[in-house]
Amino acid sequence: MSEQSTETTPAPQHSASPRTRARLTELGLSLPTVAAPVASYVPAVLSGSHVHTSGQLPFVDGELPQRGKVGAEVTEEQAKQLAATCCLNALAAIEALIGDLDRIAKVVKLTGYVASAPDFTAQPGVINGASELLGSLFGSAGQHARSAVGVAVLPLDSPVEVDLLVELHTPLTP
């Protein structure tokens, strides 16, 4: 346990992401409390000038608002909204680690996983929920490489999971 906490010692709290938080407010959104890990991992890890998040499920107040396969129990539009929630959870994990989302220079990579019914093939449309949120928040710095992968099942029967890789303006020291 102590090895994990050494890797993810949060940076000193700064101005709590004033630009990014103002933009979230304009969009009618807010960052949630960081979701507690459901297994043996940490929500985000700092490596030089990059932050990698663990896969984030669409928890809202500690609960999954929907469960099941996209294209069966969950519609594509519902899953797209859940992907945006996953992204907010990833951003909350990043902010908890580095103290200020305004330190993000670039969103490098987004990977999205969609628990899909056998005939569902619109995974990219689902993951657009996260991509569009990043573009709205960070403008051109939110444009990223991406993978949208269909899978048979996700943890806790979540319909969607997202992880992020972001680059910071300057490296932080733990």
Side-chain angles (χ1 to χ4, degrees):
M1 192 86 145
S2 62
E3 291 176 30
Q4 288 179 352
S5 60
T6 302
E7 289 182 5
T8 60
T9 302
Q13 291 296 316
H14 291 273
S15 53
S17 313
R19 288 186 308 254
T20 304
R21 288 217 176 234
R23 184 66 185 133
L24 281 165
T25 300
E26 288 173 18
L27 296 170
L29 301 170
S30 63
L31 288 183
T33 301
V34 178
V38 297
S40 182
Y41 62 89
V42 294
V45 175
L46 175 65
S47 178
S49 61
H50 291 89
V51 177
H52 301 258
T53 70
S54 294
Q56 299 292 316
L57 300 180
F59 285 118
V60 175
D61 297 325
E63 300 289 329
L64 286 177
Q66 291 182 281
R67 295 175 191 261
K69 306 293 180 281
V70 181
E73 301 88 359
V74 180
T75 69
E76 182 178 345
E77 188 56 38
Q78 290 169 325
K80 183 176 179 180
Q81 292 171 4
L82 293 170
T85 300
C86 292
C87 189
L88 287 170
N89 288 335
L91 292 170
I94 293 168
E95 186 182 68
L97 180 65
I98 66 170
D100 186 350
L101 290 178
D102 293 343
R103 290 180 166 160
I104 295 174
K106 179 80 180 149
V107 178
V108 178
K109 176 84 188 259
L110 163 70
T111 305
Y113 306 91
V114 181
S116 303
D119 60 344
F120 185 77
T121 60
Q123 291 83 6
V126 169
I127 302 306
N128 278 347
S131 292
E132 291 167 2
L133 173 61
L134 292 169
S136 294
L137 281 177
F138 298 108
S140 62
Q143 295 176 342
H144 51 272
R146 185 179 92 173
S147 296
V149 182
V151 298
V153 68
L154 288 168
L156 306 176
D157 201 24
S158 176
V160 184
E161 181 174 346
V162 164
D163 66 67
L164 290 177
L165 170 63
V166 300
E167 182 179 6
L168 306 178
H169 288 288
T170 57
L172 299 179
T173 54

